[in-house]
Amino acid sequence: MNMKIPKMDILRILSSASLRHCWEDHLPSQVTALVWSGRGDEEQIRGLSCPGGKTMKFQSILAATTAIAAVSFAVSALAADKMTIGITQNNVGVDSYQTTYEKAFIEAAGANENVEAVVLDAGGDVARQIAQMEDLIQQKVDAIIIWPTNGKAVIPAVRKAQQAGIPVVVTNSNIAEEGHQFVKSFSGPDNITQGSRSAEIMCDKFKDMGIDKEARVVQISGQPGYTTAIERAKGFEDRLPEVCPDVTLVETQPGDWNREKSQKVMEAFLVKYDDIDGVYAGDDNMGVGALNAAKAAGREGIVFVGATNFAVGYEAMERGEYWGSIYQSPVDDAKAALKTAIDVLNGEELPFLNYFDTPKITQDNMGDFTKPVF
């Protein structure tokens, strides 16, 4: 089986070839056929020949350094043909993480002269995101990046893109497993590991306080149906009984990634339960909402732990009001998604899951981390 070589790689190989032993009026037609058909593979490149029946050796092409004028012209012509990468995001306005992600993505795409980006935002609306996917398919973009509004509901749209020959990269929050067959790669954090590490942070603090045999915890999760929310909750719920088997998770309610809603959820918890020792939130935005409710009610001594460190969480940690979280950069997240899409278009072999590390951050080690920009 021949290895497929992207157009830009065909041109790079040919433009570096030493072809002075060929007539300059002989190869252009062969080069043009390869370049504009996009059918270049190793066998075809090996087959490029000069008058007299001599065939160029593939190794010689790779090693050579001088380009003929016809190939240089072809390279210049194709250089204007940028990769068009479309992205449909979940809900940019809902929190500062997604706002910072979008800004970083636009900046990274703008800094790459070979990329033209089409940046869309679903506003948290599944139907709108599906329509955006269909629009990107109609535009015949080269690749699509999707930050799913709902891990199951977007699968038909992702399948449609795959059937149209457009590779799809999922960013930040994966789609449901049954849709993985239609996706080239996932780029983002390991949300289950994040939830698991948050459970470890909370358990270690309970042990330091001597309450790990009796502590009671409430959980404020993210948007229902959203893969990140599901996975962070699962990671926490699975790991907590392993490290602190006597700690009780008494109730979970969604905060929808919203600080104000999470404050109201916590207010209800405080009325319902006289004894709350810890609060686990799917991110610091919700965690600080819960903290604000506890402060307003005069309830002290509660351990607050999040699963993504926001600036507001970092500041609360500095004040000694918020114990810990997971450090995750939206800038790294955005750049990783764009790089993954580019690598896919360049024919790179990639693992399906491309995780970047997200370490624990607590009041004890926060000096090792810079304050988040979001």
Side-chain angles (χ1 to χ4, degrees):
M1 179 166 42
N2 294 321
M3 178 182 70
K4 195 73 173 179
I5 301 178
K7 288 182 182 179
M8 290 303 295
D9 285 348
I10 295 171
L11 293 176
R12 174 178 54 77
I13 291 169
L14 290 173
S15 66
S16 66
S18 180
L19 303 177
R20 293 185 184 279
H21 60 291
C22 297
W23 296 105
E24 292 187 0
D25 61 353
H26 178 75
L27 283 178
S29 60
Q30 298 184 53
V31 172
T32 301
L34 279 176
V35 169
W36 300 116
S37 70
R39 295 192 306 270
D41 57 25
E42 289 185 21
E43 183 176 340
Q44 287 172 299
I45 293 177
R46 288 192 185 99
L48 291 177
S49 59
C50 303
K54 293 182 179 180
T55 300
M56 293 185 296
K57 292 183 178 179
F58 187 64
Q59 292 85 351
S60 299
I61 296 175
L62 292 173
T65 57
T66 306
I68 61 171
V71 178
S72 297
F73 174 79
V75 173
S76 299
L78 191 59
D81 186 18
K82 296 183 177 182
M83 301 175 182
T84 302
I85 299 175
I87 181 171
T88 169
Q89 299 164 97
N90 171 38
N91 192 354
V92 173
V94 74
D95 60 49
S96 52
Y97 186 97
Q98 294 192 52
T99 303
T100 305
Y101 177 106
E102 182 184 60
K103 179 180 178 182
F105 184 91
I106 292 170
E107 289 177 353
N112 190 323
E113 61 183 8
N114 294 321
V115 172
E116 179 177 342
V118 180
V119 181
L120 305 173
D121 172 32
D125 187 319
V126 175
R128 183 185 300 174
Q129 186 162 64
I130 291 171
Q132 289 176 348
M133 287 287 293
E134 292 175 349
D135 182 56
L136 291 171
I137 293 168
Q138 289 298 316
Q139 291 185 47
K140 298 182 180 179
V141 298
D142 296 307
I144 295 175
I145 300 171
I146 181 171
W147 184 334
T149 52
N150 184 291
K152 286 183 178 289
V154 299
I155 290 175
V158 172
R159 180 176 62 241
K160 187 178 292 187
Q162 189 257 357
Q163 290 172 341
I166 300 173
V168 177
V169 172
V170 180
T171 181
N172 185 272
S173 179
N174 214 338
I175 63 173
E177 188 173 352
E178 56 265 35
H180 288 181
Q181 60 185 308
F182 310 119
V183 173
K184 281 292 186 180
S185 190
F186 167 78
S187 170
D190 184 343
N191 292 299
I192 291 179
T193 296
Q194 289 184 326
S196 176
R197 289 177 175 176
S198 294
E200 293 168 0
I201 290 171
M202 183 167 285
C203 181
D204 288 344
K205 185 59 176 175
F206 286 162
K207 288 178 179 178
D208 289 343
M209 297 168 66
I211 61 171
D212 58 296
K213 302 298 183 184
E214 59 187 15
R216 292 161 58 84
V217 175
V218 294
Q219 176 181 199
I220 301 178
S221 59
Q223 181 181 337
Y226 187 59
T227 304
T228 295
I230 294 168
E231 291 181 342
R232 288 182 184 170
K234 175 176 173 52
F236 183 84
E237 293 164 7
D238 288 351
R239 185 61 174 157
L240 187 63
E242 294 175 348
V243 291
C244 271
D246 297 316
V247 170
T248 303
L249 176 59
V250 295
E251 189 174 344
T252 299
Q253 290 293 335
D256 293 350
W257 312 119
N258 183 275
R259 194 183 310 174
E260 289 72 26
K261 179 172 182 178
S262 298
Q263 182 167 340
K264 289 181 169 57
V265 169
M266 186 62 183
E267 288 169 353
F269 282 154
L270 293 169
V271 171
K272 189 173 182 179
Y273 302 108
D274 293 331
D275 186 12
I276 297 176
D277 300 293
V279 175
Y280 167 60
D283 67 20
D284 284 359
N285 200 40
M286 297 189 295
V288 168
L291 170 64
N292 291 340
K295 288 169 66 177
R299 296 278 286 270
E300 299 180 352
I302 298 175
V303 176
F304 292 88
V305 174
T308 300
N309 190 216
F310 283 47
V312 290
Y314 191 93
E315 291 165 357
M317 289 166 64
E318 286 182 317
R319 297 192 301 267
E321 298 174 340
Y322 198 90
W323 176 245
S325 191
I326 304 298
Y327 197 82
Q328 177 179 320
S329 166
V331 175
D332 292 344
D333 203 355
K335 289 181 177 178
L338 180 63
K339 183 179 185 302
T340 300
I342 292 171
D343 287 347
V344 166
L345 290 174
N346 282 333
E348 300 285 345
E349 291 292 332
L350 298 175
F352 177 72
L353 298 173
N354 285 282
Y355 293 136
F356 59 89
D357 190 36
T358 51
K360 300 175 185 177
I361 177 173
T362 69
Q363 291 179 28
D364 287 341
N365 72 342
M366 63 183 298
D368 298 335
F369 300 89
T370 57
K371 178 181 173 180
V373 297
F374 57 96

